[in-house]
Amino acid sequence: MRRPAVHVDFRAKLAVFALMFVLSALLIHDVSVCLAMLFMTLYLCAQSFYRAGIVYFLTGCTIAFLRSLPGVEGITILLPDVLLFAILRITLVIMAAYAMMRMPPGEITAAFMKMRLPSALALPITFMLRFAPTVRGEFRTVFAALRMRGLLSMTHPLRTFEYTLIPVITRSTVLSDNLAASAELRGISNPGIHSSLRLIRFQKIDSLLLLLAFGFSAICLYIDRWVMT
Amino acid sequence: MIELKQVSFSYDGSAFPVVHDLNLTVQKGELVVITGKSGCGKTTVTRIINGLATHFYRGALDGQIVIDGQNQHDIPFWKIGKRIGAVLQDPSSQFFADQAIDEIAFGCENYGMERHEMQRRISRAAEKTGSTALLDQRLYDLSSGQQQRLAIASIYAISPDIYVFDEPSANLDSEAVERLRLLLGALKKEGKTVLISEHRLFYLAEVADRIVCMKNGVFTKTFSSAELSRLNTDDLRWFGLRCAALPVLNTRAQCTHKEEAMVIEHLSFAYKKTPVIHDFSMQIGRGEVVALTGPNGAGKTSLARILSGLITEKSGRILVEHHSASRRLRRKLVFFVMQHADSQLFAESALEEIRLSAQAPEQAETLLESYGLSPFKDAHPSTLSGGQKQRLLLAAAESMKPSILILDEPTSGLDGENMRLLAARMREFAARGKTVLVITHDQEFIALACSRLIRLEHGRKIFDKQIM
């Protein structure tokens, strides 16, 4: 069985996600965001997600570099500076979400149960984590179809956006119905105890990770507020 | 045992029942097939039995459903999965996990099984479905046949007494269909009760105890396998059924006399350093309908994507109508109809869909009529049935007047009537001097529509023959 080099408990991952979410809203300077991304790259690499970690980090650095160039107000009309600002911060949050999205669903559900979270909250989150990659795949198919029909146009971005959205919504509705139906038919709504093939245990490594995450976040905030200004 | 007593059902928001006055008894250990035209209510019957119809789709149900002597109404929905395992039409859309082993474990985890019991059941389910070697693999890297086996394994691990399948062969190659047939036989031997909603009947002839035909929401006729095989072509057409035995394809060595529409020379392609197409060469003539077959994962769809200019070849040369064709030119001359019509329809009405990218928008209505879609010209494409969507997409493709049309599994999920309509349309298209390349596993469709057969395995051309 292919296992990550370091197994991190879902609850620790959730805490890191929450921390990065808050940090992305608090950090003003791109350098400090990149620093936080460096930590997240190490976090992903430790779990064997090397490619994702490096790609996200390089994307972040490139965006930060482009924003630092004098007189550059974004990349064309499609990616204005304000959008680049947002993408950079969203990338940081995505890095934290990535490690959760790649977890087995049973482990997530069982961890939620252990956290005594109501199923009304736990089930949609489990579902959302599974659904994100599916929607990404659908976008790819729709873009290919638009290209075939000669409807993918950079000169009419709004029209292209409309054409993209309609089939993605239609297909996503079908797929989400299938996914939810299949989960219901395999007992996801069982109000009783859910078990997990993988061990659900908050270990020393998880505590250490949380300490490091808090420490690194504090350093990023310190640099952002007191060093960079 | 399953018992339906005077069952009628209508979906939420619909005044008319989709199925009505259904009476059916399936004994323990029986394998029963429900068949009929698209939209006749087959899938709804499977949803009624596994509880999705009332609990998930929130429709109105009349009548009684009895599962192993207990009224289904009295069984909590989350518990139904322990008794009735359901495999949906597209296995990839029902996967929750990233890795195969976690997908098999999913149901066991939800029912709170102990870890050692779970591990035992996973091993047994993987062994039974021939998926042991797949346990460590990512689900999205697997072929359709392998995904289908894992979908069954994830149900088998829960160990229900009843299995309900919705068109399990829709996306499978012939080898995977044969594996499925053996697996169904093994389930039956174990005393499991199996109910299958299906268009393709050839692989079920030996294992099915009964074949129940449906039309407009009611059960019309029940056949034994022997009776089904005795039906003539007219009877099959009347019921909208596929053939009970696969037609034999008589082939002879390929001889090319026709004017060349496309020439492919030494084409190679790799995906993330994994070779997909190796040194592939072929010529396709004008007016040919070529079937491209081969196991799932053989590289057929990648080849189609290259030929239609969606992706770039690693090496090799492609000529369309005697000119070296760049990706851009290929996108103009070749049209690729991918799987899942829903992802390829963009307009707000069927007529608008044709006009959207038509070379002659004034002919849109005529084209719509030729595909039998005139009554639906103002309908939103998403409200059409699967067969109608498929035809609308083909009409939209034809409106762009491509020289070459490529279709990926166009008969997946199509009933006999729609499949025959499509075959006739492809022959007509080719008769106008156009070229059609069809990726398909459907031998019945090949026999009806295609003039040539090419088989691809591991990215290499294995044979290329003329169909007589």
Side-chain angles (χ1 to χ4, degrees):
Chain A
M1 190 191 307
R2 186 175 62 86
R3 280 181 175 280
V6 176
H7 181 264
V8 182
D9 187 86
F10 178 71
R11 289 158 290 183
K13 287 183 181 179
L14 198 61
V16 171
F17 175 76
L19 203 60
M20 290 304 132
F21 192 81
V22 173
L23 208 58
S24 69
L26 292 179
L27 295 178
I28 300 164
H29 298 97
D30 289 359
V31 173
S32 31
V33 178
C34 286
L35 200 63
M37 280 181 143
L38 179 66
F39 171 71
M40 290 311 294
T41 306
L42 297 174
Y43 166 77
L44 288 178
C45 289
Q47 294 171 72
S48 293
F49 303 129
Y50 303 104
R51 193 170 176 269
I54 292 164
V55 168
Y56 283 129
F57 180 64
L58 290 179
T59 308
C61 289
T62 311
I63 293 171
F65 173 71
L66 287 172
R67 288 192 74 230
S68 71
L69 293 175
V72 174
E73 296 291 327
I75 307 166
T76 74
I77 195 168
L78 294 173
L79 284 171
D81 190 55
V82 66
L83 199 56
L84 289 178
F85 176 89
I87 291 173
L88 180 63
R89 278 141 187 87
I90 290 169
T91 309
L92 177 65
V93 181
I94 290 174
M95 288 176 93
Y98 187 86
M100 294 199 293
M101 274 161 41
R102 297 295 299 272
M103 288 185 81
E107 195 171 335
I108 299 175
T109 319
F112 272 129
M113 292 283 171
K114 218 164 183 175
M115 287 159 75
R116 296 186 192 286
L117 273 178
S119 58
L121 183 70
L123 290 183
I125 294 177
T126 313
F127 191 77
M128 218 165 61
L129 289 173
R130 161 61 179 84
F131 201 54
T134 307
V135 174
R136 200 175 52 195
E138 276 313 306
F139 268 105
R140 258 189 235 130
T141 312
V142 170
F143 279 130
L146 282 170
R147 203 167 283 142
M148 275 283 92
R149 298 277 297 273
L151 299 171
L152 195 64
S153 162
M154 297 302 270
T155 49
H156 299 97
L158 278 179
R159 203 185 63 180
T160 305
F161 179 69
E162 186 195 330
Y163 288 152
T164 310
L165 218 55
I166 294 170
V168 166
I169 290 173
T170 312
R171 275 288 291 164
S172 299
T173 311
V174 175
L175 291 172
S176 61
D177 265 6
N178 278 350
L179 195 58
S182 133
E184 290 286 0
L185 291 172
R186 286 184 290 166
I188 199 167
S189 299
N190 174 15
I193 294 166
H194 288 233
S195 52
S196 172
L197 182 65
R198 323 276 172 137
L199 280 175
I200 310 284
R201 197 184 294 155
F202 202 85
Q203 299 176 83
K204 279 180 192 163
I205 187 82
D206 300 304
S207 311
L208 182 69
L209 172 74
L210 281 187
L211 268 175
L212 282 171
F214 275 105
F216 225 95
S217 301
I219 293 169
C220 289
L221 264 178
Y222 175 77
I223 292 172
D224 194 68
R225 294 297 159 91
W226 284 278
V227 179
M228 300 296 294
T229 46
Chain B
M1 189 181 80
I2 308 166
E3 262 187 289
L4 301 183
K5 295 176 182 173
Q6 285 296 311
V7 170
S8 298
F9 178 80
S10 51
Y11 283 100
D12 191 22
S14 167
F16 304 102
V18 187
V19 294
H20 38 96
D21 301 320
L22 300 183
N23 289 294
L24 178 74
T25 304
V26 184
Q27 298 295 344
K28 186 175 164 51
E30 248 193 320
L31 192 151
V32 173
V33 180
I34 297 178
T35 190
K37 290 181 185 175
S38 299
C40 70
K42 300 186 299 291
T43 299
T44 303
V45 174
T46 64
R47 287 175 181 168
I48 287 171
I49 291 167
N50 62 30
L52 283 176
T54 44
H55 292 93
F56 189 79
Y57 293 101
R58 309 261 172 210
L61 184 106
D62 277 333
Q64 206 184 10
I65 305 142
V66 181
I67 307 292
D68 291 334
Q70 191 178 1
N71 195 329
Q72 193 215 51
H73 186 71
D74 301 331
I75 310 171
F77 186 38
W78 65 268
K79 263 189 183 173
I80 289 181
K82 274 188 175 180
R83 295 183 173 195
I84 306 170
V87 180
L88 310 182
Q89 189 178 338
D90 178 8
S92 65
S93 71
Q94 65 187 70
F95 289 147
F96 244 78
D98 190 49
Q99 217 172 324
I101 189 168
D102 296 312
E103 187 61 32
I104 303 180
F106 184 65
C108 304
E109 291 174 325
N110 289 333
Y111 288 118
M113 272 173 216
E114 294 290 334
R115 282 186 74 223
H116 68 273
E117 170 66 9
M118 212 186 300
Q119 281 161 343
R120 191 187 66 78
R121 287 191 183 211
I122 290 169
S123 301
R124 176 143 171 70
E127 190 191 315
K128 194 82 191 171
T129 55
S131 316
T132 309
L134 309 175
L135 287 178
D136 291 341
Q137 295 193 31
R138 288 193 68 192
L139 285 161
Y140 297 98
D141 296 337
L142 303 178
S143 70
S144 305
Q146 291 168 328
Q147 287 182 341
Q148 177 74 269
R149 263 142 63 197
L150 280 163
I152 299 171
S154 77
I155 300 300
Y156 190 88
I158 302 170
S159 190
D161 285 329
I162 300 167
Y163 286 74
V164 178
F165 292 85
D166 189 8
E167 292 191 37
S169 77
N171 301 304
L172 303 186
D173 60 41
S174 47
E175 192 188 318
V177 170
E178 178 57 17
R179 272 177 176 274
L180 176 68
R181 189 183 68 81
L182 294 173
L183 193 57
L184 291 171
L187 286 175
K188 203 176 147 185
K189 251 186 197 163
E190 280 184 30
K192 306 286 185 187
T193 309
V194 184
L195 189 102
I196 304 171
S197 150
E198 185 61 287
H199 287 302
R200 295 180 188 181
L201 302 172
F202 68 91
Y203 74 100
L204 295 166
E206 275 179 37
V207 283
D209 294 300
R210 274 182 293 155
I211 294 113
V212 180
C213 286
M214 272 189 97
K215 200 170 187 178
N216 302 325
V218 289
F219 294 141
T220 49
K221 183 98 180 158
T222 301
F223 298 106
S224 67
S225 293
E227 284 168 339
L228 182 78
S229 58
R230 284 198 293 271
L231 288 182
N232 60 34
T233 316
D234 289 339
D235 292 335
L236 288 169
R237 281 180 189 230
W238 192 85
F239 285 110
L241 300 183
R242 297 284 201 115
C243 59
L246 280 183
V248 178
L249 296 174
N250 292 314
T251 56
R252 63 180 158 88
Q254 167 68 8
C255 50
T256 46
H257 297 301
K258 291 188 176 174
E259 189 189 342
E260 285 162 356
M262 181 182 254
V263 178
I264 302 159
E265 292 172 350
H266 308 293
L267 194 77
S268 292
F269 173 74
Y271 177 72
K272 287 182 184 173
K273 292 181 185 170
T274 309
V276 180
I277 309 280
H278 307 265
D279 196 25
F280 183 87
S281 298
M282 73 167 180
Q283 291 151 10
I284 314 177
R286 276 176 187 272
E288 277 194 301
V289 183
V290 181
L292 184 63
T293 65
N296 297 118
K300 304 184 295 292
T301 303
S302 297
L303 179 65
R305 289 169 74 84
I306 296 169
L307 300 183
S308 55
L310 284 175
I311 50 175
T312 316
E313 63 278 12
K314 191 178 154 201
S315 62
R317 201 160 77 115
I318 300 165
L319 291 102
V320 181
E321 294 178 344
H322 309 292
H323 300 289
S324 179
S326 63
R327 258 182 84 182
R328 185 185 283 258
L329 184 64
R330 276 170 0 227
R331 281 210 292 268
K332 281 185 183 163
L333 298 173
V334 183
F335 194 94
F336 178 31
V337 179
M338 294 172 279
Q339 288 187 54
H340 304 304
D342 279 330
S343 309
Q344 300 164 75
L345 298 170
F346 308 103
E348 287 179 8
S349 72
L351 187 61
E352 193 51 35
E353 192 67 55
I354 309 276
R355 284 183 177 151
L356 212 55
S357 36
Q359 291 218 344
E362 65 281 0
Q363 292 170 2
E365 291 213 32
T366 320
L367 196 56
L368 210 55
E369 199 183 340
S370 67
Y371 275 91
L373 292 168
S374 284
F376 311 101
K377 68 175 186 180
D378 296 320
H380 194 285
S382 66
T383 61
L384 301 176
S385 73
Q388 288 164 346
K389 282 179 193 166
Q390 182 71 265
R391 275 184 277 152
L392 178 60
L393 190 57
L394 284 170
E398 213 178 310
S399 77
M400 294 179 73
K401 299 190 188 304
S403 303
I404 299 163
L405 188 61
I406 306 178
L407 301 106
D408 193 356
E409 294 293 353
T411 60
S412 165
L414 286 194
D415 59 35
E417 189 180 294
N418 275 304
M419 186 272 295
R420 284 185 272 270
L421 253 170
L422 182 71
R425 196 67 209 177
M426 288 305 100
R427 286 197 309 264
E428 213 175 293
F429 190 73
R432 294 205 302 266
K434 306 284 186 181
T435 305
V436 185
L437 180 68
V438 196
I439 297 171
T440 185
H441 303 302
D442 193 336
Q443 204 158 315
E444 195 179 349
F445 177 74
I446 296 173
L448 284 173
C450 302
S451 52
R452 189 173 153 193
L453 183 65
I454 294 174
R455 185 167 173 87
L456 202 65
E457 275 180 29
H458 305 294
R460 294 179 199 278
K461 190 166 74 177
I462 299 299
F463 69 76
D464 181 354
K465 289 186 175 172
Q466 204 98 36
I467 300 171
M468 294 195 290

